[in-house]
Amino acid sequence: MPTLNKLRTTSSDQPHNAALRRLRLALTAFFALDGFVFAGWVVRIPAIKEQTGASAGDLGLALLGVSAGAVVTMTLTGRLCRRYGSHAVTVACGVLMPLSVALPPLAGSPLALGAVLLVFGAAYGGINVAMNSAAVDLVRALRRPVMPSFHAAFSLGGMVGAGLGGLVAGHLSPTRHLLGLTVLGLLITAAAAPTLLRHAAPAPAEERTAAESPRPARRTRPLVAVFGLIALCTAYGEGALADWGALHLQQDLGAHPGVAAAGYSVFALAMTVGRLSGTALLERLGQTRTLVAGGATAAAGMLLGSLAPSVWAVLVGFTVTGLGLANIFPVAIERAGALAGPSGVAAASTLGYGGMLLGPPAIGFMADWFSLPVALTSVAVLAAASAAIGYAVRGAGVRT
């Protein structure tokens, strides 16, 4: 494929720049699709629980199917991307994920639900690694730090999916709702897929040459693991606030249920706003300072959010935490991909999403041992750790 990333625009460059813009738009659509479909499923979990007659314990075990499918497939998807290309794998998963989200309402028992969620989790894990790998290639070709914009599309898709799900929950059965998501998802894939399939992943010639002579594995793997650890530290906070933020507001501070529900909403909105402004922030501060400032901001915000005695102070703390965490995960995944390609994205994503899965149960155990406010301070501790790690590796593959 011709070089697509010249800094100066000439008449011969214009078709290539247009191709990059089309690729960016198509990838943005897949990120939004991912968030939209996943959020649509999440808001129907209570109805699926009732439909299958699952107890709380049964549902917890069934939901492990999503986690297991995602983690197993993430490790495999890196290899598939190297063999078939990240664009083709993204499109394949963009078909599988909408199809698989229609399966949970068809399950008649908790065991069957766990089995179909294993399939859904596999598609979810696959598309996350594939589209992030494709995004890493595009970021390098554009020579602009636009990775946060893709994750902003995921956040926006999630907010739309959750909002739409809440609106239709009282009017549509889970079967009809999730089947509607399948149709919409396949239409989005059909619209975006041709662009990805027509163009190979855009790698700059000089960087492609470097990729053909990669760093020694002994040097690359520890760095990828470090960026995966940064992703874990921040995803831990996202999972913890999603599951425990509202309970903290209602149980510990006596907030009205409606106000308590707003806790995660303000956090998610702050993350979206932070990611939408992430490119400008990265261009101004660079990656190292963005990692350090983001981790420190999130740590301060979460100390306020977990220990403040007032509901409104806690909401401010959650907002600050969302702004701080917003761009750390995208930067960590992008750096892992720049170091080791799809395998780096797969490894860092597995660690990162592992943190999201680890957060809620870890908070629960610590809340039993101490208290929920004290348990939530672990989010601040790990955010501070991500800042410290980001500073420690400032000379190891991070653009300052």
Side-chain angles (χ1 to χ4, degrees), residues 25-26 52 77 102 117 196 204 212 234 246 263 283 297 302 308 335 363 373 396:
L25 182 61
T52 58
T77 305
L117 289 180
L196 291 190
E212 290 169 357
T234 57
E283 287 177 334
T297 299
M302 200 57 216
R335 291 313 305 147
I363 294 292

Side-chain angles (χ1 to χ4, degrees), residues 14-333:
Q14 288 176 0
H16 308 311
N17 292 335
L20 288 179
R21 287 193 294 271
R22 288 193 295 270
L23 281 174
R24 184 177 178 183
L25 182 61
L27 274 176
T28 299
F30 277 107
F31 273 85
L33 168 68
D34 186 29
F36 178 76
V37 171
F38 190 80
W41 143 249
V42 166
V43 299
R44 299 317 298 258
I45 289 177
I48 300 294
K49 176 181 180 294
E50 182 178 352
Q51 180 177 307
T52 58
S55 66
D58 290 338
L59 179 64
L61 290 174
L63 290 175
L64 284 177
V66 178
S67 308
V71 169
V72 171
T73 310
M74 281 177 175
T75 59
L76 175 64
T77 305
R79 300 175 187 175
L80 293 175
C81 288
R82 287 200 307 273
R83 181 167 182 177
Y84 300 106
S86 58
H87 289 186
V89 179
T90 298
V91 171
C93 293
V95 173
L96 291 175
M97 188 180 178
L99 287 174
S100 62
V101 80
L103 297 177
L106 306 180
S109 68
L111 181 61
L113 179 61
V116 299
L117 289 180
L118 191 68
V119 177
F120 177 66
Y124 176 72
I127 196 172
N128 273 278
V129 170
M131 67 186 184
N132 273 293
S133 297
V136 167
D137 291 331
L138 185 56
V139 167
R140 294 166 69 194
L142 289 169
R143 292 188 174 181
R144 290 192 65 214
V146 298
M147 194 70 167
S149 69
F150 294 118
H151 288 260
F154 172 85
S155 298
L156 284 171
M159 291 174 68
V160 172
L164 181 63
L167 288 174
V168 305
H171 307 285
L172 292 178
S173 68
T175 302
R176 291 183 177 182
H177 175 203
L178 297 184
L179 184 59
L181 293 186
T182 296
V183 174
L184 284 174
L186 291 175
L187 288 174
I188 294 171
T189 296
T195 300
L196 291 190
L197 295 177
R198 277 198 303 264
H199 300 282
E206 63 273 21
E207 294 194 14
R208 185 162 57 243
T209 300
E212 290 169 357
S213 302
R215 301 184 185 194
R218 284 178 298 178
R219 202 175 152 200
T220 300
R221 287 175 186 167
L223 285 174
V224 169
V226 166
F227 289 113
L229 182 60
I230 291 174
L232 182 152
C233 288
T234 57
Y236 173 98
E238 189 171 354
L241 279 173
D243 283 23
W244 293 100
L247 184 63
H248 170 53
L249 284 162
Q250 190 170 350
Q251 170 186 290
D252 299 320
L253 299 173
H256 184 276
V259 176
Y264 182 70
S265 298
V266 298
F267 170 78
L269 180 61
M271 285 199 73
T272 303
V273 171
R275 286 172 171 175
L276 287 172
S277 59
T279 296
L281 186 68
L282 284 164
E283 287 177 334
R284 184 177 182 85
L285 298 181
Q287 291 185 345
T288 295
R289 285 188 285 273
T290 298
L291 287 174
V292 173
T297 299
M302 200 57 216
L303 285 175
L304 178 64
S306 57
L307 300 178
S310 145
V311 169
W312 298 110
V314 169
L315 291 175
V316 170
F318 285 1
T319 302
V320 173
T321 302
L323 290 172
L325 293 181
N327 295 304
I328 300 177
F329 189 95
V331 169
I333 297 299

Side-chain angles (χ1 to χ4, degrees), residues 350-369:
T350 302
L351 282 169
Y353 287 104
M356 189 176 291
L357 301 174
L358 171 67
I363 294 292
F365 286 126
M366 286 186 283
D368 284 340
W369 295 334

